[in-house]
Amino acid sequence: EDPSYARGMCACAHHTSCGSCAVATNPACVWIGPAELRGSVEYTNNFFFTSFATRQSMSSLSVRAGGCHPGWGFGAFGLVQNATLFNGGMGHLSVQTELVPDEYFWAQCSLPNEGSALLMMGAIAAAAAVLSALMGAIFPQRPKRAISELPLI
């Protein structure tokens, strides 16, 4: 079972494998491999004009199953969740969870993490450089004349 809250709220949720999730036709989805679920609980007491806060980290939980999540080439979205269980005159109790993946895949299933995004950015930069060089060769700039060379009216 996928413990993250955001997974069921997106168009990525119906993908059940990396091969259907991390493809170029789904640029808003990333496949998350094995992950670690971290959590913490915070309690603040506001009793009789005194205030103290305590924060307790929970033991990490290893999540082996992968899942398709909303994201882009530099990571997934919605992996940190906060919830306030109660908030009143006596204090408040809140919980935070974070899903930390070992690796994720975007647009393909071979190159993990931001590798595919960096590869794509490099390809775009190389294409822009080649196009700029071609444009310079096809449409050379004429040398500009100095103001003293312009005819007087």
Side-chain angles (χ1 to χ4, degrees), residues 4-86:
S4 69
Y5 307 119
R7 182 173 179 256
M9 295 184 255
C10 71
C12 304
H14 67 279
H15 298 289
T16 58
S17 70
C18 184
S20 68
C21 172
V23 292
T25 55
N26 294 331
C29 296
V30 296
W31 181 260
I32 289 181
E36 179 182 353
L37 182 64
R38 300 176 185 162
S40 63
V41 177
E42 183 175 340
Y43 175 69
T44 303
N45 182 357
N46 298 325
F47 190 67
F48 291 116
F49 305 107
T50 62
S51 179
F52 70 89
T54 182
R55 185 172 181 87
Q56 179 65 43
S57 294
M58 298 179 284
S59 299
S60 296
L61 174 68
S62 179
V63 181
R64 292 181 181 238
C68 194
H69 293 263
W72 67 314
F74 294 98
F77 305 135
L79 299 183
V80 175
Q81 301 294 322
N82 296 298
T84 298
L85 303 178
F86 71 84

Side-chain angles (χ1 to χ4, degrees), residues 119-134:
L119 185 65
M120 186 178 293
M121 288 172 51
I124 291 171
V130 167
L131 182 62
S132 176
L134 286 173

